[in-house]
Amino acid sequence: LTDLVKRPTKAAAELTAQELAFGRTTLADKVRAWRPGLLLFAFRPPAEALLSDGVLVGRCKDFEGVPSFLLTSPYARGRDTATNTAELLALLGGDAGENPPSGATPRAPFRASVTALKGARELVAGPTQRITAADLAAGRIRLPTRRSSGAKAAFPVDVTRVRIVLRGESMEVRYDPRLGPDRERSGVLTVGSTRLARLVREDEVLQVRSEENGTPSLD
């Protein structure tokens, strides 16, 4: 899990060509010496600086004989993230796990990585806001404002209909992330007053989980 330049910046544009070139050379030396099983990029700019422009999310070309992979952005649609995760799991548990590059980490840690990633998809994304009497009357569940972390990270960035599992009951509901234009507000899941009152009580706070198949679960 890597980057190219080890200094904080407000934006990738602040980095100089010399810094990127030095970072590329340094990383190449490390890859040749350590022979990792996979290079994993959390953001596109370092992947493009290392591999060239036009890098696509998912499996990328090899670097120094080692496979590389670009994750989806924090604001990607849930279904795109699920597809990306499935591709990464297949890479770790398939070719990369069975036949790692010469000198790479042995098979067992690859299997451990697969287990860890599957577990990560089932971790709690975060709590909802407290269910109020007004929420019950409106048939809505509100998600805390910040999308970069917490419950909103399990949902798309646009107004759409999404499938959720609420207290074990699968349903399709309307979702509005309320990202602007002036400022970000709490996201809103419109469940319906009758259904919400049957499954949730006033003053409850639900926990949002992102299941392995990408479906948000609230309980």
Side-chain angles (χ1 to χ4, degrees), residues 27 70 190 206:
L27 183 59
L70 176 60
T190 303
L206 305 176

Side-chain angles (χ1 to χ4, degrees), residues 104-152:
T105 305
R107 173 174 171 174
F110 273 94
R111 296 303 181 189
S113 297
V114 172
T115 301
L117 277 168
K118 287 183 176 178
R121 291 294 299 166
E122 298 167 355
L123 289 178
V124 176
T128 67
Q129 292 187 355
R130 181 179 63 86
I131 304 295
T132 66
D135 291 330
L136 289 173
R140 70 190 180 200
I141 298 172
R142 292 173 298 124
L143 308 179
T145 300
R146 287 183 59 83
R147 180 181 161 77
S148 59
S149 61
K152 287 182 80 173

